[in-house]
Every structure is written in structure tokens, then in C-alpha cells.
Amino acid sequence: MKRHSKGLWLTDTLFVILTISSFTALLIPVGRITPKLMGTPYTVWMGVVFCILYIVLAYFASTLLKEGPNDN
Amino acid sequence: MITSFIIAGTIYLGILIFLARKTRVKEKTTSNYLLAGGNLGMLLGLFTTAATIFSAFTVIGMPDFFRIHGIGSWIFLAVADAMMVYLLIRVGIKIRLKARASDYNGMSGLLAKAYGHKFVGLIALIGVVIFLVPYISVQIKGVSTFLGAAFPEALPHWGWKTLIVAVMIIYSEVGGLRAIMYNDTLQGIVLFVVIWVIGLNCISEFGSVSGMFERVQAINADLLSVPGPNGLFTTQFYIISAVSIAILPFTQPQISTRIIIMKSHDALRRMAIGLGVFAVLVILPTMFMGMYGAILYADLPRDEFIGHVLLYDQAPAIAALGLIGLIAAAISTSDSQIFALGTELRSLLTIDDKKALVITRIFIVVFGVAALIFSILSIEHLVSLALTSFSGTALLAPLILMGILSEKKPGLLIPICTILSLLVFVLSLSEVIPGKFGLVDIRMILFSFLTIITGIEILRLKLQ
């Protein structure tokens, strides 16, 4: 249980960091199109990367919650 | 195309009647009629939740939003939806547990119990009615626009709207929540297939994704970065939309009900992950459609652009299927929302179950008619209207989350501040007070205000 709490603390922290980063120039730089990835503008492919990171994080959190005592 | 549409339409209507008959329960109770027995599996849960979230607003609104404002639209919806998935897992499981332990009939009733005051439940009900009715009207308006473009001579816009609302109300009244959820599943699959076929057709026009973006860059490079050609996508806009969208599962009752009636935590977890993947995959082709419009139809009015991208530029069979997919999308989302409003009302009624259900069913019709009137009168852009609805219900988040998650009974500070915030937001929408103070949006001020108030209340409860 303790291991799960630590794991959830970690995923929550990463979620907060990712969320704050979502509102910075890392994801939404003003007026910037490059670097492109396979011809796709920066904000589009970086947006896909962010989406994947959020979903992967959600998946890890869900596996940590899987063995909870109230799964009914 | 008319022949293909009639064939596809007849099949769709046949399936609707079949589902309504199959799921119809003779002895209607709150549990089996409004809450579908409370035993929702992962797959049905995924499609019904996805179909409730992604619909006409996504298929019609988003391509147009991409066309006008550029690729920043991708961040506004896709990234916010991905955030939502994490919160759905972390907070949704707790909410499901608490709600199921409290004999859940609807969020408003649950809040009335949690706060020990019926008027708190009434605040939640009024809040969702005020902000869900415009959202329902988004769906009705979206699909009538599309039908108007497909058959310009057949019916006026209000005629299509009335027809859609009539089908929606009859279907909901007959089948209940289970029928709605089966329709959602059908709609989700059709929508997913159609939107990808059309999206890929749009790319093939330019040879590749890279070729498409090159053409857009040559025409209007501002479309390929933020803040976009109209300066819409500021950090403030993104914060407001992310907050409003990421907490949708807790603030919009048609989604929270689905979370709570999931069969198990495990089903909820898998549904949430599936929802994230579904969201990304559904929004992506709307970007291709929008970029296609930005290149070929930059100066056309919205209705004409939609007509081209979804109908005239597609093979007749695809266009007909797209039309059916869109009608299904609008109907399934709107009936879920109207039904959810009925469920919320039901949860506040403390009379005999049979009588309460009769009142609820009458009000489902009333809510449907209200949405119809709003869709006829409203002239706002589809996405803006949806975002207004999301932001409005987001103001209820502290009230809902505190009521459900707090171990101790919360006081009336949050309910009172929520009423004030709702009032201020409605006044700003009516332009009685400004929507911005300097550079700061009123929603940003209200979100911050409610966050501070929630912090104070948490502190107060800890010190008790």
C-alpha cells in the first residue's frame, strides 16, 4: 500500500509538472513553426507528445490503483 | 446522394427502433430507467462516454475552428482531453466509490445530502440547466446546419431542429438510459470510421500531411502556430479551456453518471485510458479537415465550407454515411444531456418513485423544448458556445468535489460563493458587466476566486 502511495505521489507530481509545461513555450511557443517533424508544425507534433505523456501517466496511475481494497 | 441517404437513414432508424424496443423496461424505476441498472461494462462505458463528449461540436465545430484559428485548436481540445483522462482516473475512482456508497440517484441529490441542505442540490441543478441547455443546442444547431447544407430546399433550419429534438425526446422517453447508451455505441463507431475516411480524403488532396502543411504555410503561415491569425490562442485562453474541459467528468452530469454506474473500478480505469486514445484519434482528422478548408475554402462562410468538406467533395456513399453519423452523434449526445438533466431533477425529488419518474419524464420534454428554442435563437459559433457551457459548469467543480470528497460535512461558504460566481458569469455573458477586466478574463477571475475559497474551506475543516 505504501509503495502504491509513493507511486501515486510520483505520478501526481509528474502530472503537475506536465500541466504547468503545457502552458509554456515548450508546447505553445508564439509564432514558431519549426522544428518540424515529418513536415508537421512544432506545436502539432509536440501536442501529440504531450497527449501520449498524459495518457501513459494515467495508465501508470491506473495500474497503481488496480490492487486497491475497494475495487468493486 | 439522396438515395444513399435514404437507405442509410432507414437502416439507422430501424436500428434505433430495435434498440429502443429491446431495452424498453415495462416497470420503470429510477434504477433501471434513469441509471441503466448501474452495471456498465468497459466497452459500452467507453463508447457511451466518448459519444457523449465528441459529437456535432467535434465534427462540425472543430474543422471550422481549425480553418479559422489554425493548429492551436489541437492544443485547446486534444491536450485538455488528455489531462482529463488523468483526472478521471485519480478523482473519478474516489467519486464512484463515494457515490455508490450513498445510494446515488443524481449529483444534485448527492450534494444536497453531503451539505445537509436541499438548496445546495438546487444550485447544482440550476447551474447545469443554465449551461447544459446551450450545449445541447450546439448539437442541434450543428446537425441542422449540416442537413441544411445537404438538402437546402427540403426544410428550413428550424424545421430540421424540431425534427431532431422530436426524435431525441421520443427515443429517450421510450428506451431510457440503456437505449441511449446503445445508440451512443453505434454512433461512436460510425463517427470514428466516417471522420477518418473524410480526414484521409482531405490529406490525399495534397499528397501527404507534409504537403498539406506546406500549402497552408504558403497561404497563411499564422495558422501553423499560436496565437493563430486572430490571436485567440493566448496562454489565458488555454488555461481557461483546460480547466473547463479537464474537469468535465465531474461537472457535467451526463458524464459523471456514466462514471458512477460503471460496473467496477477496473472497468472505469480501462474506459478512461480508452477514452484518451479515442479523443486523440477523433480530433486528429478534424485538423486535416480544417487545414483542407484553410487551403481550398478559406473565405467561404461556415455552412458552405462544412457542406464542401463533409458532403460535396466526398463520394455519395461516404457523404450519406457522414450525414447519418452526424445525426446519430447529435442525437446521442443531446439525449444523454437532456436525460441527465432529468436525472438531476429526479435526485432532488423525495416523493414516491413512480410519481417522481412521471415528473422527470415531463421535464425531459421541457428541457428538450428549451434547447430547441435556444438553438433557434443562438447565433454564437459552435465551439465558443460549447466552451461557454464547459466554463459555466466548471464553476460548479469546487461545490461538487468538496461535497463528495470531503470527509467532514462542508459549510455553506462554497455554495454561496458558487451562486455568486454563476451570477457574475451569467451577467458577463449577458454583457451587463464586462467579460474582461483589463487583460484578465472574467472566467479566470472566477476560477481563481473559487480556488481560494476552496482552500479557505479546506483549512477551516482541518482546524475544526
Side-chain angles (χ1 to χ4, degrees), chain B residues 243-255:
Chain B
V243 169
S244 305
I245 292 169
I247 55 176
L248 274 182
F250 322 116
T251 56
Q252 300 231 333
Q254 76 279 11
I255 310 176

Side-chain angles (χ1 to χ4, degrees), chain B residues 241-317:
Chain B
S241 54
V243 169
S244 305
I245 292 169
I247 55 176
L248 274 182
F250 322 116
T251 56
Q252 300 231 333
Q254 76 279 11
I255 310 176
S256 44
T257 296
R258 280 160 175 75
I259 295 170
I260 291 160
I261 64 169
M262 289 299 291
K263 192 163 61 181
S264 64
H265 282 3
D266 195 42
L268 174 59
R269 282 192 294 266
R270 285 186 285 137
M271 179 275 270
I273 300 294
L275 188 64
V277 176
F278 190 94
V280 172
L281 292 178
V282 157
I283 300 162
L284 204 56
T286 67
M287 177 163 62
F288 304 148
M289 290 150 71
M291 294 297 103
Y292 174 86
I295 298 165
L296 299 177
Y297 306 114
D299 300 322
L300 285 189
R302 186 196 64 205
D303 292 7
E304 288 182 36
F305 156 62
I306 293 298
H308 276 284
V309 73
L310 295 178
L311 294 175
Y312 311 134
D313 298 358
Q314 306 300 329

Side-chain angles (χ1 to χ4, degrees), chain B residues 78-366:
Chain B
V79 174
D81 280 331
M83 280 180 199
M84 178 182 80
V85 171
Y86 188 84
L87 294 179
L88 189 51
I89 283 173
R90 288 297 280 122
V91 186
I93 286 177
K94 287 183 183 172
I95 286 185
R96 180 182 171 275
L97 194 68
K98 283 253 181 172
R100 286 180 83 98
S102 320
D103 190 22
Y104 179 82
N105 276 331
M107 197 56 87
S108 304
L110 194 63
L111 292 178
K113 272 186 216 163
Y115 283 86
H117 292 278
K118 204 166 183 175
F119 92 92
V120 177
L122 211 57
I123 298 169
L125 175 67
I126 292 168
V128 291
V129 169
I130 291 173
F131 292 107
L132 266 192
V133 168
Y135 190 19
I136 297 163
S137 77
V138 169
Q139 318 301 324
I140 300 165
K141 193 177 170 181
V143 77
S144 72
T145 301
F146 195 66
L147 285 164
F151 310 108
E153 306 296 323
L155 278 176
H157 275 257
W158 65 264
W160 286 118
K161 285 170 184 168
T162 310
L163 193 66
I164 293 159
V165 171
V167 172
M168 204 164 73
I169 289 173
I170 293 167
Y171 185 72
S172 309
E173 289 279 340
V174 173
L177 185 58
R178 192 154 282 276
I180 289 173
M181 292 194 301
Y182 279 116
N183 180 33
D184 286 348
T185 304
L186 173 71
Q187 177 256 306
I189 294 165
V190 173
L191 179 76
F192 191 82
V193 172
V194 166
I195 208 166
W196 265 101
V197 170
I198 295 176
L200 291 174
N201 277 350
C202 290
I203 294 172
S204 69
E205 180 75 20
F206 313 105
S208 63
V209 173
S210 159
M212 179 184 74
F213 283 122
E214 273 171 25
R215 287 280 299 274
V216 175
Q217 192 168 357
I219 292 168
N220 187 355
D222 287 344
L223 285 167
L224 299 185
S225 63
V226 295
N230 304 305
L232 179 71
F233 298 120
T234 59
T235 304
Q236 182 174 225
F237 177 90
Y238 281 128
I239 293 173
I240 290 168
S241 54
V243 169
S244 305
I245 292 169
I247 55 176
L248 274 182
F250 322 116
T251 56
Q252 300 231 333
Q254 76 279 11
I255 310 176
S256 44
T257 296
R258 280 160 175 75
I259 295 170
I260 291 160
I261 64 169
M262 289 299 291
K263 192 163 61 181
S264 64
H265 282 3
D266 195 42
L268 174 59
R269 282 192 294 266
R270 285 186 285 137
M271 179 275 270
I273 300 294
L275 188 64
V277 176
F278 190 94
V280 172
L281 292 178
V282 157
I283 300 162
L284 204 56
T286 67
M287 177 163 62
F288 304 148
M289 290 150 71
M291 294 297 103
Y292 174 86
I295 298 165
L296 299 177
Y297 306 114
D299 300 322
L300 285 189
R302 186 196 64 205
D303 292 7
E304 288 182 36
F305 156 62
I306 293 298
H308 276 284
V309 73
L310 295 178
L311 294 175
Y312 311 134
D313 298 358
Q314 306 300 329
I318 297 297
L321 201 61
L323 209 48
I324 295 303
L326 189 68
I327 295 169
I331 289 176
S332 70
T333 303
S334 307
D335 61 12
S336 298
Q337 290 163 337
I338 288 175
F339 211 77
L341 292 178
T343 309
E344 289 305 300
L345 177 74
R346 164 66 190 95
S347 71
L348 287 175
L349 299 175
T350 44
I351 52 174
D352 170 64
D353 195 44
K354 262 190 176 173
K355 279 184 192 166
L357 268 184
V358 171
I359 295 171
T360 303
R361 293 177 75 186
I362 292 169
F363 268 87
I364 286 173
V365 179
V366 172

Side-chain angles (χ1 to χ4, degrees), chain B residues 394-409:
Chain B
L395 295 174
L396 297 169
L399 180 84
I400 293 171
L401 294 175
M402 197 69 189
I404 296 177
L405 299 178
S406 173
E407 297 295 335
K408 293 178 184 170
K409 187 185 265 188

